[in-house]
Amino acid sequence: MNATTRIWLLSAVLCSVVVIPAFSQSGARPRQLNEQLQRARTALVSGTSLLEAKARVDRVVSALPNDAEARVLRAEILLAMGRYDAAAEDAIVACELQPNNGTAHLTLAEAAFHIGDPATAERSMDRSSQLLVDDGGAHVRLSRLARELGLQEQSVAFARIAVALAPANARANYELARAFVFASKTDAAASVLANGLEAGLLASETVLSDSLLQILQKHPALRSWF
């Protein structure tokens, strides 16, 4: 697929009104294939083997090409493998199958960014945020993506939501601090880190090894930690 065709496909899916009948529930999937899907998800989450995860989900998609859940999972696996074009293709199919699947739109947004289509990435990011309002983990990803797209205020807003949904989640707090640094709000970033370090939620070693956060080590609010 050449660049022009790819961008057209990524943009067109967001305007699609055709919904292809989809297999999206485990009850509609044969038990053996459902087990393959669950094992693929476990392999992805645990990080044991992306190749194993893809091989298992490939079997599901081969048997059930309209299985939206399998398409989204394979897109996420392909993202983790750095195969962004293929991830985008699966995400497009998933969005066509289930236009209200927020994870499908989020995966499409991330894939679109990596293949050089920021306009589609931003549109898909916005659509995903409308659909995943109660998903803290998704908002961490949305904040990171907004930061990569250069959208300072959106990055902060998404990270704030992530922390509001899961105050004790370290990833959400680190991401909020990064978003504040990116938006040149270093006092706010230092406050997030200081509170997290005081609570034992965050680690000074992580701050020092983070390319964005390490600049805060000399901030007065963090003086006792570094």
Side-chain angles (χ1 to χ4, degrees):
M1 190 187 331
N2 63 38
T4 301
T5 302
R6 181 192 308 139
I7 290 172
W8 181 86
L9 283 171
L10 288 171
S11 299
V13 70
L14 299 176
C15 301
S16 174
V17 295
V18 178
V19 180
I20 304 169
F23 289 92
S24 59
Q25 303 297 324
S26 59
R29 189 184 302 119
R31 182 181 60 82
Q32 185 177 13
L33 292 179
N34 196 53
E35 288 177 357
Q36 291 291 331
L37 194 68
Q38 298 308 318
R39 289 178 181 177
R41 182 176 290 106
T42 298
L44 172 63
V45 172
S46 67
T48 53
S49 174
L50 292 176
L51 289 175
E52 176 194 343
K54 184 178 178 300
R56 290 187 182 280
V57 78
D58 280 346
R59 294 173 194 145
V60 181
V61 174
S62 178
L64 299 172
N66 287 352
D67 190 318
E69 186 179 351
R71 289 282 187 169
V72 173
L73 180 59
R74 189 166 72 173
E76 294 196 296
I77 293 167
L78 290 164
L79 271 176
M81 297 174 75
R83 295 179 55 184
Y84 304 121
D85 285 289
E89 291 170 11
D90 268 336
I92 286 170
V93 174
C95 289
E96 291 173 339
L97 290 166
Q98 289 187 338
N100 292 326
N101 186 318
T103 304
H105 286 283
L106 176 54
T107 307
L108 175 56
E110 292 172 326
F113 169 76
H114 283 292
I115 63 176
D117 186 0
T120 295
E122 186 173 349
R123 287 195 298 270
S124 297
M125 177 189 72
D126 290 342
R127 180 60 177 148
S128 175
S129 70
Q130 295 166 5
L131 295 167
L132 297 173
V133 293
D134 296 323
D135 190 328
H139 277 82
V140 171
R141 292 168 64 181
L142 287 164
S143 177
R144 182 174 61 247
L145 178 59
R147 180 159 47 82
E148 290 172 333
L149 289 166
L151 304 172
Q152 297 179 357
E153 295 306 316
Q154 280 181 273
S155 180
V156 170
F158 289 143
R160 283 186 184 276
I161 293 171
V163 171
L165 290 169
N169 184 283
R171 288 179 63 240
N173 281 271
Y174 282 126
E175 194 55 46
L176 179 57
R178 293 187 191 103
F180 278 137
V181 170
F182 184 65
S184 299
K185 299 178 179 180
T186 54
D187 288 346
S191 177
V192 171
L193 294 180
N195 290 337
L197 290 165
E198 180 67 31
L201 180 65
L202 308 183
S204 57
E205 295 83 1
T206 301
V207 175
L208 290 174
S209 65
D210 189 286
S211 59
L212 270 178
L213 300 180
Q214 61 186 212
I215 67 170
L216 296 171
Q217 62 182 295
K218 296 184 184 300
H219 193 282
L222 299 171
R223 191 169 292 154
S224 62
W225 295 98
F226 302 103

